[in-house]
Amino acid sequence: SATTTPLCCTTMSSTKSPNDTKLSSEFNTSNVTLEDVLLPARQIPRHYDLTFHPFFPKENEFKGYAKILVDITEKTSELHFHSVGLDLQQDKHPVRVRPFIVDSKSQPSTHGWTTVKSMKVDELFQKVVFTLKHDLQPGPYEVEFPEFTGVLNDEMMGFYRSKYEDSEGEKYMASTQFEPCDARRAFPCIDQPQSKATFSVSIICEENLTVLSNMPEIGREVHIHENGKEFAKTIFAQTGKLPTYLVAFVIGDLDYIEDTSSGICIRVYARKGQSHLGKFALKSAVHSLPFFSNFFRVPYPARHLNMVAIPSFSAGAMENEFLFTFRESRLLLDENNVDFSNLKATARTTSHECSHTWFGNRTTGKYWTYLWLQEGFARFCEHLAVDDQFPDWNIFTEYASGVLGTALDLDSLSSAHPVEVPVKFPEEINEIFDAISYAVGSVIIRMIYTWIGRESFRDALHTYLNRFVESNATTEDLWQCMEEASGEPIREAMDGWVKQTGYPLITVYQEKGDTGTILHIKQERFLQNGSTDDSLWKVPIWLKGAKTDKEMIFLNGREGSFEMENLPYNDWVKLNFGQTGFFRVKYSHEMMQHLHKPIREKTLPAEDRLMILSDTFALAVARKIPVDTYMDILSMYNEETEYAVWMEISGQLSELRALLMPHDNLYPAFEKFLHRLTEKLYHRYGFEPKEGESQADAQLRNIAISKQIAAQNDSVKQKALNLFLSGAEIPADLKRTVYSTAVEMGKYDQVKAMYEKADLPFEKQVTLQALCTTKSPERIDQTIDYIFSDKVRSQDLYFPIAGLAYHEVSRDHLWKFMKKNWDMILKHIGKGNFLLAAVFKYATRHFQTQDEARDVADFFKQHYNKSIERTANQAEERIRTHAMFMKEQMLSFEKYFVRQVYSKEDLS
């Protein structure tokens, strides 16, 4: 999880003494090195003593006190701290410094304070520099900020507030989101992950509010009077060594549920009346913590864990030490009124945050360059825990589409970045909280896991976590532990996967050998735009034939030939068997023909059937095969029964539908194709739920119904409308489809009223998404105005943006609105948090002409924002790829539709 900050921030002292100076932010950032950005290494934090007093809930300001114990390792006359948006009140309450000395009785004793001579504010590097009256010699010092103030903002970063309504009226909750670089918005600090320290936190607020921080409460001073009000000061125990981004606190009118069965007191907190909806997430955490303790053979390091649902939250969740924070829809759900995909998302998110206790919190990357060591591991490990708790979910089959497929998609852009990426400024750091760090990182971890085996993998992680406990690590450190545990050349094989962008396309053909089959294999970088370069990887390839066991070969160069003695020449062979490698495969025509039968008969595992189709679709988009070849293969899946495979098919059909919708010469034929492809699935599952059916079957029914409706099956549309109008309970898995159909058929106002009345996060999500499927130009404009009003939380904007951007007419209306109202949008969702990148990405996702690509590029050039620079480049590249795909594959689409969709009567 992450937030971000603007490159050039407001002055960090709104009340400056005459000696204060503001350094210029007019600076060529291309010449900046990481050493320039980091605070001086001679200044090492050991402990923070922090007190916060938010004027809450009525006002949006807070007051703070900080005393920081730092070790100075070489003589200096300056002290540097990160600070953004804080009034340090240097004229009223000047910062002061004194030596910190421990006497013979191990008691701290101090010499007199000295105040600083001047303060400089550096907007570019988001720091303040204090010049001292006297040099500091090496040793420990206390630095005291007697009083500072800041804004309790509405931008979901730093120390911020959330507004919500309940039966008692309007209320507020205050919480923190410091990752990656926003602790500096709450207190002056050394805000970089390698600068770990301990923290003592106290919070002063109205007595009746619940106050939480990382550690348990150890004291409470009640009846502190200020301005005629009674306040309580809550004092929390000292933390272990943490980076600043893991410090957290939450203040609000909360209640909770708890479970102590694992020996750990685990609680779910939410606004009053909502905590009972956290039962499923609570069960997930109760399972995950012991699972990871056992898997890593490293005990959970505390006796408590609090998980809090925050009404306004920009990410999905955040792994603050022992105080996880979540957006409400990821923590709170009614198990009897939520679809299967949301249920799984909650299980994965909870397990993901639990795994961070080890990867990220206990052992932290040395800098944000190594973010993948935290997020890649957490994304992989979440699936291990969920698979252990819910083995019937077949979560690793879905992993092939949801994680591997996502990784292959983003990393096939030339504007992608390496897994291990040099970053300096907060804007650059925020942008790498993406599918490269999470999904590609996870896939690389899984590739190693499969290569060296589960037990060697566990041994390596046990060593890694103990060697770098409460410390920081790099990729090289991980490779060393992997090599010690496995004896395999991990560094040599894996460095290329994390240090260069992209992945290979493996092209394979076979010929008959003396005793079996010879496989001729070649690699080249795969790019969506159809180009390539000279990148090279050491590729572990797992393969299996119809009558042979799974085995691994290594392709170390550009190409190689492998004689497989036990592999019959005329049988099928599947490369990347099990889908644990990070590459795509292009088979020769003959080899692909051999795979048709195991696809149809489903003798290939589901993940392999799924990824054959994924690879074929990607090859068609990159114009490496004709699209009619892909369509022929896709049509073979009409007998498919595995939910995860249909998830992939559904995603591809949605992409094709968005691309073909503007083309009158193709779209009617596509609708016929869509109807035929999903007809058997619909007849198999029908419209009505069946007693005792599995959750996967319920979702398969929804796919069938939604695709039949997209194909303009009037009978199915009418059934959906009748269900909406009947007042009967709508199955959770069907709600999104039924509500969208109701909007399309004139029930917009009814669905809007349902959205405004809904209290459950899932119900709000599906009704809001349904409103965005309207085709009426007038309703489209109403919807766009509505989603940017106070009726819709800014954290939820990417749901309706994605819906509006899918259909041709609403996409154009949305983009025109965004261009005209960009300043309002920046103010509405904030210039700094990651939502801006999500909104820009989804708004432009389905553009498909060169003119639209130029328009997007020109718009970004005119409204340059460093925090979405990479996103804008990727958006332009995707649009140009869509344009080339449609231009070059148009005749192939027509060829397929004439050959397979239209009958002779249609053509006459």
Side-chain angles (χ1 to χ4, degrees), residues 823-865:
D823 290 341
M824 178 277 290
I825 293 171
L826 292 177
K827 184 178 180 181
H828 188 71
I829 63 178
K831 295 181 181 180
N833 67 62
F834 92 106
L835 286 170
L836 186 63
V839 165
F840 195 92
K841 178 179 75 173
Y842 287 119
T844 59
R845 177 86 186 191
H846 297 293
F847 285 144
Q848 57 174 279
T849 69
Q850 296 291 357
D851 286 344
E852 288 168 330
R854 282 189 290 272
D855 188 29
V856 169
D858 289 345
F859 175 77
F860 181 71
K861 187 176 180 180
Q862 294 164 16
H863 300 83
Y864 177 77
N865 186 317

Side-chain angles (χ1 to χ4, degrees), residues 595-745:
L595 286 166
H596 287 183
K597 183 178 179 182
I599 290 172
R600 285 196 180 98
E601 295 180 352
K602 296 184 280 294
T603 52
L604 272 176
E607 58 266 31
D608 289 290
R609 302 197 302 274
L610 183 159
M611 288 307 297
I612 285 174
L613 190 59
S614 175
D615 288 349
T616 308
F617 183 55
L619 290 168
V621 170
R623 291 109 55 223
K624 291 185 177 295
I625 61 171
V627 78
D628 64 318
T629 300
Y630 156 73
M631 300 289 281
D632 281 332
I633 293 172
L634 176 58
S635 65
M636 294 191 308
Y637 285 76
N638 67 337
E639 299 278 0
E640 182 59 59
T641 56
E642 178 67 37
Y643 167 66
V645 181
W646 268 109
M647 268 179 55
E648 176 66 25
I649 296 169
S650 179
Q652 292 180 17
L653 290 171
S654 294
E655 286 290 314
L656 286 173
R657 185 173 174 231
L659 289 170
L660 295 174
M661 216 179 288
H663 300 275
D664 294 339
N665 61 324
L666 298 176
Y667 190 63
F670 174 75
E671 287 184 330
K672 289 177 179 286
F673 170 80
L674 181 59
H675 175 83
R676 293 181 189 178
L677 182 67
T678 59
E679 191 174 23
K680 287 185 178 180
L681 187 71
Y682 176 68
H683 288 308
R684 181 179 298 118
Y685 292 100
F687 195 91
E688 302 292 336
K690 296 178 177 61
E691 188 175 349
E693 69 182 2
S694 68
Q695 291 166 308
D697 283 352
Q699 285 207 304
L700 279 166
R701 173 179 297 101
N702 180 55
I703 289 174
I705 291 170
S706 65
K707 296 309 176 189
Q708 284 292 301
I709 290 172
Q712 301 305 314
N713 185 324
D714 292 335
S715 171
V716 180
K717 288 171 73 172
Q718 191 60 49
K719 285 183 178 181
L721 180 62
N722 291 343
L723 178 58
F724 177 82
L725 295 174
S726 69
E729 180 65 28
I730 301 171
D733 289 286
L734 282 182
K735 281 188 173 181
R736 185 178 285 105
T737 299
V738 170
Y739 293 163
S740 297
T741 304
V743 167
E744 182 184 345
M745 301 181 75

Side-chain angles (χ1 to χ4, degrees), residues 9 27 69 82 189 265 270-271 284 371 401 458-459 465 500 508-509 644 682 725 738 766 778 800 807 831:
C9 301
F27 192 78
L69 180 59
H82 288 114
C189 54
C265 181
R271 49 192 169 104
S284 179
L371 175 65
S401 178
R458 292 178 66 198
D459 290 344
L465 291 169
Q500 63 183 347
V508 57
Y509 72 93
Y682 176 68
L725 295 174
V738 170
V766 293
E778 181 182 353
H807 295 278
K831 295 181 181 180

